[in-house]
Amino acid sequence: MLHFLNQAPQPAEGFTIAKVSRRGFLKVSGAGLALAGFATTAEAFPRWPHGGHAMPHGVRTDPLVFVRVDPDGTVTLVAHRSEMGTGSRTSLPMIMADEMEADWTRVVIEQAPGDEPKYGNQDTDGSRSLRHHIQMARQIGASVRHMLAHAAAAEWGVPAGEVAVEAHMVRHGSHEAGFGDLAEAAMALPVPAFEDLAFKSPSDFRYIGKGKVQITDLRDITTGAAVYGADVMLDGMQVAVVARPPVVGGKVKSFDDTAARAVPGVSAVVELPHSIPPAGFAPLGGIAVVASNTWAAMKGRDALQIEWDGGPHAGYDTQAFLAEMVATAEQPADTVFRNQGDVDAAFAEAARTFGQTYTQAHMAHAPMEPPVALASVTAEGAEIWAPVQSPYACRTDVAKALEIDPAQVKVNVTLLGGGFGRKSKHDFAIEAALVSKAVGTPVRVQWTREDDIRHSFMHTVSAERIDVALDGEGKVTAWRHNSVAPSILSTFAPDGGHQFFIEQGMGHVDMPFDIPNVRCENGAALAHTRIGWYRSVSNVPRAWAVGSFVGELAHELGRDEKQMWLDLIGAPRVVDPVAEGYPEDFWDYGEPYQAFPIDTGRLANVLDMAADAIGWGREMPEGEGLGLCVHRSFVSYVACAAHVRVVDGTIRVPEMHFAIDAGFIANPERVESQLQGAAVMGMTLALHSGIHYEAGAVVESNFHDYEMVRADNYPENVHVHMVPHGFGVHSTGVGEPGVPPVAPAIANALFKATGQRKRALPMGAQV
Amino acid sequence: MAKITINSVEHDIDGPADMPLLWAIRDIAGLTGTKFGCGVGLCGACTVHLDGVATQSCLVTLGEADGKTVTTIEGLSPEGEHAVQRAWRELNVPQCGFCQAGQIMQAASLLAENPKPSDQEILDAMSANICRCGCYQRIVAAVRHASTGI
Ligand code: FES
Ligand code: FES
């Protein structure tokens, strides 16, 4: 089951946040049991509603599932989300430990296998790990602290409310015990109800909000001991590489494996069933070559003679397709998602109009660790070790492919060498299971970089057309945005050619400007490859279009770019989606809108912060320029201010400032590292990331033609400014929202530097 | 068959002469700290020291490595306390961590040859290594940090 897609939009009733005081909304009563040094529930823990409970299997808060305390005092905390570099495997346990008063140096982290009925939702994407689990982590920590205090109180015959729990110790008067001494009695007590919990006052946090904790796997990463997907070894295991159909939906017509079988070390050649789109995460099929080592398997694959049947997408040519999409975007669309006011009348009455079209090529995620999985399939069942973002969905899909009960499948999650959405799609784990079953030994399926780039679940290709109507004073009276892009939905269901509510909600219908007439349209485009989600998803092309357009409009009207943004955003307001013509199934990242409304004051605030930090308005030397973009995504507000310098025709970024409003920030150090990473990924996609198809197959193959930003030209001096909030402003997404504003900020700065306006991504490194 | 000293231990590696050293290290010697990222010398994830010099192990064959000395991330320092490793930890450099063994081996080799590199020399050397997560700012800072402590 695809968690990303089956998350229901939150009900639209009660879009009244603008009329309700936010303070009033926050007031949650709770009769907290005041343990010494701990505040009552309502003060220390305003219980924000969030969309985590609407995810499959929701959020679990049972401390007995997540915490073990050993007699020696070692506290084992379970990380149930996959670690792919965002730091959730550190931050969530750190929150538990802080609220529990555990000493971080005595904590060990254990990774959960895929088991959502036990751990709650494990689908690690959508920038949800902290925002859906920060409250859960605090509740679990507070529960264990409560249980320790009560165990001590019973033993010492004193009131539990007078027992102090502090830094791995429990005390009352002359009594004192370590966590380990009380562990057995404490963990046997009934789990307290939320209403009976007392929470630490945020001023007493030791780790939360401090940014002083090193990431869990730091030492192992620096010594080579960290275990990623390809690092698990089993006795008798073999390695396989797979020759896959070059065209999605294609299949093997005939093959000759004589030479492949003759390669020393090759033990078997296995034909895998091909999948017919829409096939979800099912593998593409092809021929697997199994060998005693990776090199032999690769050589065996090279020696295969295969004749392919291309299938219906054998004519896919992205250059021609993009031209068609641009034509579609520049005509009235057949589908309207958002309709506010009367756009046609406003255009008819306009003093002038202005419009532009922006495009983006497909992208492959290219995580540093190519897809890889180890499977051991026996008569009893299957065990998988793999770097997967959604281990429970992986378990379900492996069971389906093997035609066995999911209870017979165990999915162990290794560290992920990057994910970015690619490893939400566990086709590689299913391949390993199928090959292991066929040959009867454990098998690791290793993807090469060429496999990864050619057989990704691609970020969509897009054309975005924006037109505005202006009155005599240069005020925008109408906004029309036609977004054309093959939909992710086409990977899972027959392709209707239109985007669905999740894609609509990512920077299209939620355009936040204060404009009286708005129409968001969607011209049709059919998919010709597997469309997936890539870090920030549809926000990338939408921010690219909207952000570049604001820069162009400013130039057109002779206005300062920052002022143009502020003019469009208007006076601070909390958007009322009903009044502004949003679709009924408007998707606010799966969150209840009342708790996470679009607040344009927060949007303008981060823009101000980033612009001030870079010294907006200063004179720039020849060949240099500053550019801006602000974008709300994953319910966070992020502004990017970029400094571009063109050196010998090469675009360089000597300085970049981010301002982020992500509510309460639990681990500022990892927020900073995520945004430093977003700067690099944003610059990479701005300059380099284009996947092209000819005759149905991907043209690019490795890092020579699918380039990455490197140390010789990376965004230098990236500064991250965070809006400070207390625990009362609930945490929002961080992993993804840094990426969308980067490319448009660079393009706007490049225009200032050179007068050249780029409207197609990737724009290339040279001007 | 090749005789290679890996992390001070002599190995008789039973593999074809054209097998890249990377796969010999990972699949035959069983040392998994050295990573596969591209297989063609473009990413640096597989960087080891071959006779003391940073080398992309996917580009060297077993035949070419015969009789030579290899240091992998596991052998850089017996306790994991090489100045570069320490600098990486002090600056909390990694995100996913997958590229970092290669980055550390590259940086350690640079500093062994050139203990006080200029900023440009750091950037030039580290450009051999891709970090898809985008840790460059901290990587460069950590190399500088290690250089002052070497
Ligand atoms: S794997 Fe050797 S350079 Fe990429
Ligand atoms: S830390 Fe993930 S690739 Fe460098």
Side-chain angles (χ1 to χ4, degrees):
Chain A
M1 216 37 182
L2 175 60
H3 299 187
F4 183 82
L5 296 175
N6 68 7
Q7 190 189 109
Q10 294 287 324
E13 79 255 13
F15 278 148
T16 51
I17 186 71
K19 291 163 208 119
V20 176
S21 114
R22 219 180 301 169
R23 287 284 147 235
F25 183 74
L26 281 178
K27 243 174 235 156
V28 179
S29 65
L33 170 66
L35 291 176
F38 298 99
T40 60
T41 304
E43 274 172 50
F45 197 101
R47 205 175 181 183
W48 278 74
H50 62 80
H53 303 289
M55 296 293 292
H57 302 100
V59 173
R60 293 274 183 276
T61 54
D62 185 348
L64 303 178
V65 167
F66 288 91
V67 183
R68 196 176 68 234
V69 185
D70 290 338
D72 69 356
T74 303
V75 171
T76 302
L77 301 177
V78 171
H80 73 303
R81 313 283 293 174
S82 298
E83 179 57 75
M84 52 187 159
T86 64
S88 67
R89 188 171 135 91
T90 302
S91 302
L92 287 172
M94 176 195 84
I95 294 162
M96 288 183 202
D98 196 338
E99 192 64 56
M100 192 186 303
E101 277 290 313
D103 176 350
W104 185 245
T105 63
R106 300 180 72 185
V107 169
V108 296
I109 313 293
E110 198 174 276
Q111 189 68 33
D115 189 352
E116 291 188 358
K118 181 169 178 185
Y119 301 105
N121 186 267
Q122 294 180 276
D123 180 15
T124 314
D125 67 11
S127 299
R128 290 186 284 239
S129 287
L130 261 285
R131 87 176 196 255
H132 284 175
H133 302 93
I134 184 170
Q135 300 194 109
M136 157 222 169
R138 284 193 72 192
Q139 182 175 342
I140 288 169
S143 299
V144 175
R145 177 165 40 72
H146 176 109
M147 290 154 80
L148 288 161
H150 280 257
E155 198 174 310
W156 301 331
V158 299
E162 292 174 8
V163 172
V165 183
E166 201 188 340
H168 236 85
M169 295 296 294
V170 184
R171 292 192 183 86
H172 183 275
S174 58
H175 297 292
E176 183 176 281
F179 277 18
D181 306 325
L182 295 164
E184 208 184 323
M187 299 314 267
L189 290 173
V191 172
F194 179 84
E195 289 67 31
D196 294 334
L197 294 174
F199 288 89
K200 286 177 72 165
S201 163
S203 59
D204 294 330
F205 288 155
R206 293 172 192 277
Y207 312 120
I208 301 172
K210 305 289 189 246
K212 295 280 185 256
V213 162
Q214 289 190 330
I215 56 170
T216 302
D217 301 290
L218 187 56
R219 185 163 193 97
D220 286 350
I221 288 169
T222 59
T223 61
V227 175
Y228 297 86
D231 302 339
V232 183
M233 302 288 179
L234 293 181
D235 283 346
M237 65 173 280
Q238 304 190 79
V239 183
V241 296
V242 180
R244 300 177 186 81
V247 182
V248 167
K251 60 179 187 222
V252 175
K253 200 187 279 174
S254 64
F255 72 103
D256 177 352
D257 61 6
T258 320
R261 286 180 186 274
V263 171
V266 170
S267 66
V269 174
V270 177
E271 185 171 359
L272 296 172
H274 74 282
S275 57
I276 300 164
F281 301 149
L284 292 165
I287 311 285
V289 177
V290 188
S292 55
N293 65 73
T294 317
W295 180 241
M298 288 173 165
K299 286 218 303 197
R301 180 173 71 171
D302 288 347
L304 286 171
Q305 304 282 328
I306 308 174
E307 212 190 318
W308 301 103
D309 179 345
H313 299 304
Y316 189 34
D317 179 305
T318 36
Q319 206 182 333
F321 189 71
L322 198 54
E324 274 174 44
M325 292 195 6
V326 167
T328 303
E330 292 178 350
Q331 287 158 17
D334 59 357
T335 300
V336 173
F337 293 146
R338 172 179 169 190
N339 200 5
Q340 174 190 359
D342 189 339
V343 167
D344 291 336
F347 271 92
E349 290 160 14
R352 60 195 288 204
T353 63
F354 180 69
Q356 287 297 354
T357 305
Y358 305 88
T359 63
Q360 186 183 14
H362 283 298
M363 298 192 291
H365 315 72
M368 209 67 232
E369 171 194 50
V372 62
L374 172 63
S376 175
V377 179
T378 64
E380 281 72 55
E383 187 160 6
I384 309 284
W385 292 260
V388 286
Q389 289 177 236
S390 193
Y392 187 69
C394 177
R395 176 176 157 182
T396 311
D397 286 345
V398 165
K400 202 166 106 195
L402 297 176
E403 297 173 328
I404 58 176
D405 191 320
Q408 293 171 272
V409 180
K410 183 174 185 197
V411 175
N412 305 287
V413 184
T414 64
L415 289 175
L416 282 63
F420 315 118
R422 174 61 183 90
K423 293 170 186 168
S424 299
K425 296 98 176 167
H426 33 255
D427 53 342
F428 47 97
I430 302 170
E431 286 178 341
L434 292 172
V435 180
S436 171
K437 183 181 172 184
V439 300
T441 70
V443 170
R444 175 194 302 145
V445 165
Q446 175 69 58
W447 286 45
T448 63
R449 180 58 61 194
E450 290 79 6
D451 297 338
D452 170 54
I453 286 177
R454 291 180 172 148
H455 303 297
S456 188
F457 286 75
M458 297 295 172
H459 174 81
T460 196
V461 55
S462 57
E464 309 273 336
R465 172 73 190 186
I466 300 175
D467 288 279
V468 290
L470 297 144
D471 67 15
E473 271 88 63
K475 188 172 161 37
V476 175
T477 55
W479 173 279
R480 190 173 61 214
H481 178 176
N482 187 358
S483 173
V484 180
S487 172
I488 289 167
L489 214 49
S490 64
T491 299
F492 303 94
D495 192 2
H498 286 288
Q499 294 174 9
F500 75 126
F501 64 89
I502 288 182
E503 292 164 316
Q504 294 169 30
M506 293 192 178
H508 190 208
V509 302
D510 52 334
M511 186 285 295
F513 300 150
D514 191 5
I515 296 170
N517 305 290
V518 176
R519 192 160 73 218
C520 300
E521 314 174 327
N522 175 217
L526 292 171
H528 298 289
T529 185
R530 303 193 292 184
I531 306 293
W533 48 99
Y534 172 113
R535 188 178 185 184
S536 307
V537 204
S538 308
N539 287 293
V540 178
R542 269 64 173 276
W544 167 239
V546 173
S548 299
F549 185 80
V550 174
E552 292 216 60
L553 189 59
H555 177 70
E556 184 72 14
L557 300 178
R559 230 176 274 178
D560 171 73
E561 185 183 311
K562 181 187 167 200
Q563 193 55 49
M564 189 76 240
W565 280 102
L566 295 174
D567 290 348
L568 287 164
I569 292 169
R573 76 188 196 289
V574 172
V575 171
D576 178 340
V578 173
E580 298 199 11
Y582 281 41
E584 261 173 44
D585 61 355
F586 168 53
W587 181 80
D588 190 28
Y589 296 91
E591 302 301 339
Y593 188 79
Q594 304 94 310
F596 297 81
I598 299 168
D599 181 337
T600 64
R602 292 172 78 177
L603 193 70
N605 179 46
V606 291
L607 180 74
D608 268 332
M609 285 170 70
D612 287 353
I614 207 164
W616 186 256
R618 67 185 148 114
E619 271 307 304
M620 298 301 286
E622 175 88 18
E624 302 193 25
L626 303 179
L628 296 174
C629 183
V630 61
H631 187 75
R632 175 185 183 269
S633 64
F634 304 90
V635 286
S636 289
Y637 304 81
V638 181
C640 177
H643 175 180
V644 163
R645 178 185 293 150
V646 176
V647 182
D648 299 333
T650 299
I651 299 170
R652 302 190 66 100
V653 179
E655 188 179 2
M656 185 174 276
H657 290 262
F658 285 102
I660 177 165
D661 183 341
F664 176 75
I665 287 178
N667 194 351
E669 189 276 333
R670 282 296 100 179
V671 172
E672 184 193 59
S673 88
Q674 280 301 290
L675 289 177
Q676 289 171 340
V680 173
M681 190 168 272
M683 182 168 167
T684 292
L685 74 85
L687 270 44
H688 302 301
S689 302
I691 291 289
H692 303 88
Y693 286 78
E694 280 172 17
V698 171
V699 174
E700 289 76 13
S701 61
N702 208 317
F703 294 128
H704 63 291
D705 55 6
Y706 191 65
E707 291 178 54
M708 300 289 141
V709 156
R710 293 169 183 266
D712 58 356
N713 186 14
Y714 70 103
E716 295 164 78
N717 301 305
V718 175
H719 300 269
V720 179
H721 311 276
M722 302 171 208
V723 177
H725 286 296
F727 196 78
V729 182
H730 192 25
S731 307
T732 54
V734 170
E736 294 168 272
V739 173
V742 176
I746 290 175
N748 287 337
L750 179 68
F751 177 75
K752 307 273 183 34
T754 63
Q756 284 189 50
R757 174 54 66 177
K758 302 287 187 182
R759 299 193 184 94
L761 285 180
M763 60 177 89
Q766 311 294 322
V767 287
Chain B
M1 182 75 84
K3 261 196 194 324
I4 306 178
T5 303
I6 306 177
N7 302 335
S8 309
V9 178
E10 212 172 275
H11 288 254
D12 288 322
I13 305 256
D14 187 10
D18 67 344
M19 178 186 275
L21 177 61
L22 166 65
W23 297 116
I25 291 170
R26 288 189 56 87
D27 289 354
I28 301 178
L31 294 166
T32 57
T34 305
K35 301 303 185 200
F36 165 64
C38 72
V40 292
L42 292 167
C43 77
C46 64
T47 304
V48 299
H49 296 172
L50 187 66
D51 286 344
V53 179
T55 304
Q56 294 173 333
S57 62
C58 68
L59 292 183
V60 178
T61 64
L62 206 43
E64 289 161 348
D66 192 10
K68 299 205 165 143
T69 298
V70 172
T71 305
T72 70
I73 184 73
E74 292 94 335
L76 181 61
S77 146
E79 308 295 328
E81 294 294 334
H82 188 281
V84 170
Q85 291 169 311
R86 286 206 311 270
W88 245 248
R89 293 197 286 267
E90 270 167 53
L91 274 65
N92 227 1
V93 169
Q95 290 179 42
C96 82
F98 192 79
C99 71
Q100 301 294 348
Q103 306 273 5
I104 288 169
M105 296 309 282
Q106 186 73 44
S109 169
L110 166 70
L111 295 181
E113 278 169 44
N114 180 1
K116 295 279 180 259
S118 68
D119 285 0
Q120 194 54 50
E121 286 167 335
I122 295 177
L123 298 179
D124 288 346
M126 298 314 294
S127 291
N129 294 61
I130 293 172
C131 176
R132 180 57 161 152
C133 296
C135 302
Y136 299 120
Q137 189 160 320
R138 294 192 189 192
I139 287 169
V140 171
V143 178
R144 269 190 213 115
H145 188 69
S147 141
T148 58
I150 258 175

